[in-house]
């Protein structure tokens, strides 16, 4: 799950830079320990897995909104020509989300920084980008 309010830095350019800015914002939300435990939604999602009722149903809606946001940003990057036309938005959104979830778990349980998740997504996006220079060189 991502940071409240969409999380991309205000004024982040559209396309691949906004997609990466959103990922960085999410990782900062976790690293800065804005909430105890990292992310209310992720914790609640794990706890609600396999259960029925209003809470798991609402969590599924919120998670779906988050994934839709990621997919929309991937699609925008494709439309701008910053990602190739054969990129599958659903799959890339999954990869970015998975890196964020792993960062949350690793930081909470193993006291590791979120840098691996940042570098993994950065490398993935740079590998796909039509102009890798749009992204940081770190």
């Amino acid at each position: 799950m991502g940071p409240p309010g969409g999380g991309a830095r205000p004024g982040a350019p559209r396309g691949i830079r906004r997609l990466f800015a959103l990922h960085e914002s999410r990782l900062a939300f976790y690293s800065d320990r804005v909430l105890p435990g990292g992310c209310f939604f992720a914790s609640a999602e794990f706890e609600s897995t396999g259960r029925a009722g209003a809470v798991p149903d609402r969590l599924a809606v919120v998670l779906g909104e988050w994934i839709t946001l990621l997919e929309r940003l991937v699609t925008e990057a494709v439309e701008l020509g910053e990602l190739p036309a054969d990129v599958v938005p659903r799959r890339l959104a999954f990869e970015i989300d998975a890196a964020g979830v792993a960062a949350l778990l690793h930081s909470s349980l193993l006291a590791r920084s979120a840098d691996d998740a940042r570098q993994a997504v950065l490398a993935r996006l740079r590998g796909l980008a039509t102009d890798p220079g749009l992204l940081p060189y770190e």
Side-chain angles (χ1 to χ4, degrees):
M1 193 87 270
R9 289 188 300 263
R14 290 183 62 215
I16 198 168
R17 291 172 288 187
R18 183 173 291 171
L19 181 62
F20 188 65
L22 179 62
H23 179 66
E24 284 192 305
S25 179
R26 176 188 192 183
L27 297 179
F29 178 80
Y30 298 156
S31 297
D32 294 346
R33 305 271 186 228
V34 174
L35 297 174
C39 178
F40 166 79
F41 289 105
S43 297
E45 287 164 2
F46 284 121
E47 189 173 319
S48 295
T49 299
R51 296 183 185 184
V55 172
D57 291 348
R58 181 64 186 138
L59 289 169
V61 169
V62 172
L63 178 59
E65 291 169 350
W66 169 248
I67 298 301
T68 298
L69 172 61
L70 290 173
E71 290 173 356
R72 181 176 55 83
L73 293 178
V74 171
T75 299
E76 286 178 6
V78 170
E79 290 170 352
L80 290 169
E82 295 176 357
L83 289 172
D86 64 348
V87 166
V88 179
R90 181 176 174 174
R91 189 171 307 134
L92 186 54
F94 175 85
E95 292 177 53
I96 294 168
D97 182 57
V101 170
L104 176 61
L105 291 174
H106 289 211
S107 67
S108 297
L109 297 174
L110 303 174
R112 293 185 179 167
S113 80
D115 192 58
D116 288 339
R118 181 183 186 279
Q119 293 299 324
V121 170
L122 180 59
R124 181 71 170 126
L125 292 177
R126 286 182 59 74
L128 291 171
T130 57
D131 179 2
L134 293 172
L135 296 162
Y137 283 97
E138 299 168 23

